[in-house]
């Protein structure tokens, strides 16, 4: 597996290209993580996709104020996170974009105006709805704001998160956002910026994109069967949205890249178009 080195595009986002060989792929799929995450969270999926479909490359993106994409000015909004992706497009022309959870709404917002060459959006267990803040991501924000650190050891942060009601596997994953400095561990995340991003996530309604997709664009929605993120009402709305909206039910919880990667890979490798496919051809 090879490709260009990990980099931050000047003035833009940190990203890691993944390809099956040294040549440029016929199409790039941008991969957008969820809140508190980073592009590397989807590295295994990306490598397996391009191994099975070597005509595609995957671009693991750190969204603003996540991973190594730091120091972006406010406002921290879905629209701003989507506009950030424009800095990558000249170097990595996008043919598809996949977004998980928070990243799914960013992906749909980016597709809103019809990107040249963009043929597919994959929204992984992400709701287009607007509504009051709720759910595990919001609960996590409230917990970490009460646990600002620093911590003497990473395990101290894990224990504090667990004592606050976080499941241990989630607590251990969350502490990947700690960095050592001066003998202690600090949060890498700017939680003021994260709060702004989450608040705007809950304010933002992207159903108008779903129900009026730009010409030549297909949407593949993946709903995790053991997750409550996509409601029954949303399922009915997806099913009524038209022939270019495809709904896939995949067994597992919200973190499908860990819970059921095989099923997710099967859908991706089956439905990503070939390099010579008509952009308007149904997938």
């Amino acid at each position: 597996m090879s490709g260009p080195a990990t980099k931050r595009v000047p003035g833009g986002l940190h990203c890691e290209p993944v390809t099956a060989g040294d040549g440029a792929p016929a199409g790039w799929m941008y991969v957008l993580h969820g809140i508190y995450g980073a592009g590397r969270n989807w590295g295994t999926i990306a490598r397996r996709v391009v191994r099975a479909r070597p005509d595609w490359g995957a671009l693991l993106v750190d969204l603003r104020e996540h991973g190594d994409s730091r120091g972006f000015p406010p406002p921290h909004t879905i629209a701003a996170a989507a506009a950030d992706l424009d800095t990558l497009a000249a170097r990595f022309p996008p043919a598809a974009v996949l977004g998980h959870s928070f990243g799914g709404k960013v992906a749909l917002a980016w597709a809103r105006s019809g990107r040249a060459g963009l043929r597919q959006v994959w929204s992984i267990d992400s709701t287009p709805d607007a509504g009051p803040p709720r759910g595990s991501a919001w609960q996590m924000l409230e917990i970490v704001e009460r646990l600002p650190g620093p911590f003497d050891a990473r395990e101290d942060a894990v224990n504090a998160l667990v004592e606050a009601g976080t499941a241990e596997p989630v607590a251990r994953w969350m502490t990947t956002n700690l960095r050592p400095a001066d003998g202690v561990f600090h949060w890498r995340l700017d939680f003021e910026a994260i709060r702004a991003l989450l608040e705007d996530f809950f304010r933002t309604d992207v159903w108008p994109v779903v129900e009026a997709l730009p010409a030549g664009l297909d949407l593949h929605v993946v709903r995790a069967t053991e997750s409550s993120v996509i409601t029954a009402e949303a399922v009915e709305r997806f099913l009524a949205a038209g022939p270019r909206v495809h709904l896939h039910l995949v067994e597992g919880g919200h973190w499908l890249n860990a819970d059921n990667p095989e099923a997710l890979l099967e859908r991706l490798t089956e439905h990503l178009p070939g390099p010579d496919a008509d952009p308007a051809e149904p997938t």
Side-chain angles (χ1 to χ4, degrees):
M1 201 68 58
S2 61
T6 301
K7 61 182 71 218
R8 178 164 177 168
V9 173
L13 299 166
H14 182 273
C15 62
E16 179 183 352
V18 180
T19 65
D22 294 330
W28 286 100
M29 178 176 69
Y30 289 21
V31 181
L32 313 181
H33 57 81
I35 204 77
Y36 311 120
R40 64 179 180 271
N41 298 155
W42 283 77
T44 299
I45 294 284
R47 287 187 289 273
R48 293 185 65 183
V49 166
V50 302
R51 189 177 299 124
R53 291 291 306 274
D55 49 320
W56 280 86
L59 193 67
L60 301 174
V61 179
D62 288 354
L63 294 171
R64 64 165 48 213
E65 299 308 303
H66 288 78
D68 290 320
S69 294
R70 309 301 304 283
F72 281 70
H76 298 301
T77 62
I78 293 289
D84 293 340
L85 298 174
D86 291 339
T87 64
L88 305 174
R91 170 92 189 215
F92 305 100
V97 57
L98 177 152
H100 173 239
S101 196
F102 178 86
K105 193 168 275 191
V106 174
L108 281 166
W110 193 47
R112 186 190 303 271
S113 61
R115 303 282 159 182
L118 188 63
R119 297 148 73 182
Q120 283 189 348
V121 175
W122 287 80
S123 179
I124 311 298
D125 210 46
S126 179
T127 177
D129 292 333
R134 61 182 180 86
S136 58
W138 189 255
Q139 292 165 3
M140 177 64 78
L141 178 64
E142 293 177 332
I143 289 171
V144 296
E145 286 180 336
R146 299 196 302 268
L147 299 170
F151 305 95
D152 291 334
R154 195 178 299 274
E155 198 67 20
D156 292 341
V158 172
N159 292 336
L161 290 169
V162 169
E163 288 174 10
T166 305
E168 184 176 343
V170 176
R172 292 195 179 280
W173 171 77
M174 189 65 186
T175 60
T176 62
N177 286 305
L178 291 172
R179 59 177 174 81
D182 302 322
V184 293
F185 288 84
H186 302 264
W187 291 114
R188 298 180 65 193
L189 296 173
D190 177 347
F191 288 115
E192 184 176 345
I194 296 296
R195 174 173 282 276
L197 287 168
L198 271 178
E199 287 174 343
D200 195 63
F201 174 86
F202 289 109
R203 277 194 299 264
T204 301
D205 179 355
V206 290
W207 278 112
V209 188
V210 173
E211 295 173 335
L213 288 171
L217 188 67
D218 274 19
L219 170 61
H220 289 261
V221 178
V222 178
R223 184 195 190 201
T225 59
E226 297 171 19
S227 168
S228 61
V229 168
I230 297 177
T231 64
E233 293 78 12
V235 167
E236 294 303 315
R237 200 165 173 181
F238 281 127
L239 292 173
R244 291 187 289 129
V245 177
H246 314 272
L247 181 65
H248 308 271
L249 302 182
V250 173
E251 292 185 5
H254 180 61
W255 300 98
L256 281 172
N257 53 319
D259 267 12
N260 198 349
E262 297 300 332
L264 198 53
L265 284 161
E266 180 181 350
R267 275 99 176 149
L268 284 165
T269 55
E270 178 183 356
H271 293 287
L272 283 171
D276 300 321
D278 184 335
E281 180 183 324
T283 58

